[in-house]
Amino acid sequence: MSTPQDPAQEAARTIQERYRSFRKKRELAGLALSKSEWTPLLNQVDSVLRTSQSEADQPKQLSVRGKWLKGVGCAGAIGRGSADGEGGGLLLRKEHWLEVVDVKHRYGSNLTPYHEYWLQSPSTQSFFFWLDHGEGKDLDLPEARRKQLDRQRLHYCTKEERKKFAVQIGDDHLLRFQHNQAPVHTLISEEEQQIDQDFAAWKDAETKALALGRGPKPDKNTMSEAELQERKTAKKRRNTNKWIYVTSADKKQLYIAPKVKGEFQHSSFLSGGSVGSAGAVMVNQGQIIKLAPMSGHYQPNIEQFIAFINQLTEQGVDLRNALLLNPFPAELECNHHLVQVDLESLDDHK
């Protein structure tokens, strides 16, 4: 004979079962944090809280509630859009989080050495107050000179501004800017002339220029004048007229724009929010001729690159003659030929 269940205990059991089911679904979706991940996350939140105070006058100590609200605000800016993509979007690398919470959006790579110096200092001042108004305002580190730190500020696009970089696949299967339907064209006259004359030779020259960047930096004293000139030409080829792309976290919108280091980079498009993919691109009158998954801000992997390639081809984009660069050691099955290159041969990752 069964004894009647206490309604309170039965309710508690039901809640526990529902919660375990919910927690399991989050774990399978990759949204749950393990015990080992909580401590570094909380330490990072604490660092962001201390870092994100930027008032000219040292602010008063925040309450516990105030700290959590500020932490949620900072995390929301960094993770903006990540819930929209399947499996989540690509978040900024941690060293670039400073760039987002900085009201001036100074280049993250320049802020990092100052932040590391501040972390090792005994100062109780918040990072940005320390850097701009406090004990660190006169600090000038060789890794990133103060003039460079103050000069290189990234532009973060508003929703209205990013519309001019939005790209769609037209009925003719060419890449076109949405605001005026003009075909995307990233080439300068010199590049265009080379491609029109001999596209195969252009691809060979591009690959050779990348190959010259591999391995340790050579000793210029042991190189001939011809070798020095060849490397100089290759470096100029790699660094001239760079264009970059990102997709929204849900992978539905593509954005393309010229890169200006320290002013307009991958984080500029979506204001430091998460993206679906990121890299470098060359386009000739709407036709992609070169594609590389290189982004120092987001660091996409080979799976995400191949997924982007597949998405383009499914939309009718012809990539059969495009130079598709694979900087990763892993090789996955792909319907297109990927040219293997060393990471150091691509400057776009910086």
Side-chain angles (χ1 to χ4, degrees), residues 2-285:
S2 60
T3 57
Q5 294 288 334
D6 181 2
Q9 291 183 349
E10 186 64 27
R13 185 177 294 106
T14 300
I15 292 173
Q16 288 177 341
E17 289 175 352
R18 295 289 178 86
Y19 173 72
R20 290 192 186 105
S21 175
F22 170 74
R23 185 175 61 183
K24 188 65 177 177
K25 289 179 180 178
R26 286 180 59 82
E27 289 174 353
L28 292 174
L31 300 175
L33 291 174
S34 65
K35 292 181 179 179
S36 62
E37 293 174 308
W38 269 108
T39 298
L41 175 63
L42 291 174
N43 289 339
Q44 189 69 31
V45 168
D46 178 68
S47 176
V48 169
L49 287 172
R50 295 172 60 207
T51 296
S52 61
Q53 299 169 357
S54 58
E55 293 84 351
D57 297 322
Q58 181 70 352
K60 296 180 180 179
Q61 184 67 29
L62 291 173
S63 65
V64 173
R65 182 176 183 274
K67 288 182 177 181
W68 275 106
L69 289 175
K70 184 175 281 289
V72 168
C74 293
I78 295 165
R80 187 185 302 110
S82 60
D84 299 330
E86 296 178 8
L90 285 165
L91 296 178
L92 280 175
R93 293 170 60 195
K94 285 184 179 180
E95 52 263 45
H96 292 290
W97 289 9
L98 292 167
E99 181 186 297
V100 180
V101 297
D102 181 13
V103 294
K104 300 177 183 178
H105 300 309
R106 284 166 287 194
Y107 190 32
S109 295
N110 294 334
L111 283 169
T112 296
Y114 288 91
H115 189 252
E116 291 175 349
Y117 189 100
W118 168 76
L119 287 173
Q120 299 300 320
S121 75
S123 178
T124 58
Q125 297 174 339
S126 66
F127 172 61
F128 287 115
F129 176 86
W130 171 89
L131 180 65
D132 295 328
H133 310 286
E135 299 163 2
K137 65 183 178 64
D138 296 321
L139 185 64
D140 189 11
L141 295 177
E143 300 95 316
R145 291 298 183 185
R146 177 67 67 151
K147 286 184 178 180
Q148 177 178 310
L149 171 68
D150 292 334
R151 183 180 70 252
Q152 293 187 329
R153 302 184 184 188
L154 267 67
H155 177 72
Y156 275 18
C157 293
T158 64
K159 186 176 181 180
E160 193 64 30
E161 286 175 331
R162 74 174 64 105
K163 287 181 179 179
K164 66 179 179 181
F165 305 124
V167 172
Q168 67 183 46
I169 313 301
D171 295 336
D172 51 5
H173 307 304
L174 298 179
L175 273 61
R176 295 182 176 276
F177 287 111
Q178 288 183 359
H179 71 282
N180 60 6
Q181 292 301 303
V184 179
H185 188 68
T186 69
L187 306 181
I188 57 178
S189 57
E190 182 181 346
E191 294 170 329
E192 194 169 359
Q193 185 178 6
Q194 292 174 346
I195 290 169
D196 289 342
Q197 288 178 351
D198 193 336
F199 185 62
W202 173 85
K203 289 178 69 174
D204 290 341
E206 283 289 304
T207 305
K208 184 178 180 181
L210 293 169
L212 285 174
R214 296 183 183 181
K217 190 174 182 179
D219 183 3
K220 293 183 179 180
N221 296 324
T222 63
M223 298 176 68
S224 67
E225 188 64 32
E227 289 174 325
L228 287 171
Q229 184 59 40
E230 186 179 35
R231 294 192 66 85
K232 184 178 180 180
T233 302
K235 184 176 181 179
K236 181 180 179 181
R237 189 183 190 99
R238 294 197 306 271
N239 293 337
T240 302
N241 191 39
K242 289 183 178 180
W243 286 64
I244 54 179
Y245 74 87
V246 303
T247 62
S248 56
D250 60 8
K251 304 176 180 63
K252 294 180 180 179
Q253 183 61 64
L254 172 64
Y255 300 95
I256 295 178
K259 173 184 175 180
V260 182
K261 186 174 182 179
E263 295 181 27
F264 196 101
Q265 301 198 192
H266 288 101
S267 58
S268 298
F269 289 102
L270 299 176
S271 303
S274 62
V275 303
S277 58
V281 65
M282 290 181 72
V283 187
N284 183 17
Q285 297 297 340

Side-chain angles (χ1 to χ4, degrees), residues 290-340:
K290 180 180 173 183
L291 202 61
M294 304 310 303
S295 170
H297 277 81
Y298 291 100
Q299 287 199 335
N301 58 38
I302 184 62
E303 291 86 359
Q304 290 156 338
F305 183 47
I306 291 178
F308 179 56
I309 291 173
N310 291 338
Q311 182 182 0
L312 289 173
T313 55
E314 288 170 4
Q315 293 177 295
V317 177
D318 187 359
L319 296 175
R320 289 173 296 178
N321 294 320
L323 183 59
L324 307 176
L325 302 175
N326 174 24
F328 307 104
E331 293 188 12
L332 296 181
E333 183 177 349
C334 182
N335 295 328
H336 299 274
H337 174 63
L338 303 182
V339 178
Q340 193 77 27

